Amino acid sequence: MQAVRTAASVLRYTVDLSLPLYVGMTAKQSFRQRLEQHMSGASQFSGRLKALKVAWSDLQFVIRPLDVPRGSVLTAERLAQSLLRPRVSVA
């Protein structure tokens, strides 16, 4: 039974490490514009990173295009956030 608990603990640990801190989608601006807003402090994202003591140099910016209609971007973002539960996104 201890082996199962240990395996479950390690699995949970690795899943937590693999989850993104933030999931955001945009339809009205480029990803570069959105990233620049975050990095300049024009959004709340920078403050949430500071609260977690995470530096910009600790992060990796990844774009994953998603084929959804422009009017469905917000719904898709909320769905992705509910599935992934990123720690820094506002859901």
Side-chain angles (χ1 to χ4, degrees):
M1 190 56 131
Q2 182 61 33
V4 172
R5 283 193 199 114
T6 300
S9 177
V10 170
L11 179 61
R12 180 64 189 175
Y13 176 78
T14 57
V15 167
D16 284 346
L17 288 176
S18 68
L19 294 176
L21 281 175
Y22 174 82
V23 170
M25 298 181 191
T26 183
K28 297 182 180 179
Q29 59 189 337
S30 72
F31 287 110
R32 177 176 292 284
Q33 289 170 315
R34 189 63 178 142
L35 177 61
E36 288 172 354
Q37 288 172 357
H38 288 322
M39 292 182 77
S40 72
S43 71
Q44 297 174 3
F45 182 71
S46 187
R48 292 192 300 266
L49 285 180
K50 286 179 187 175
L52 290 173
K53 298 182 177 159
V54 174
W56 284 105
S57 60
D58 296 329
L59 301 179
Q60 179 180 16
F61 181 67
V62 177
I63 297 172
R64 298 279 187 233
L66 186 61
D67 187 22
V68 297
R70 185 176 287 259
S72 300
V73 170
L74 184 57
T75 301
E77 180 178 14
R78 288 184 178 151
L79 177 59
Q81 288 176 345
S82 70
L83 293 170
L84 295 170
R85 300 197 174 277
R87 293 180 59 192
V88 184
S89 292
V90 175

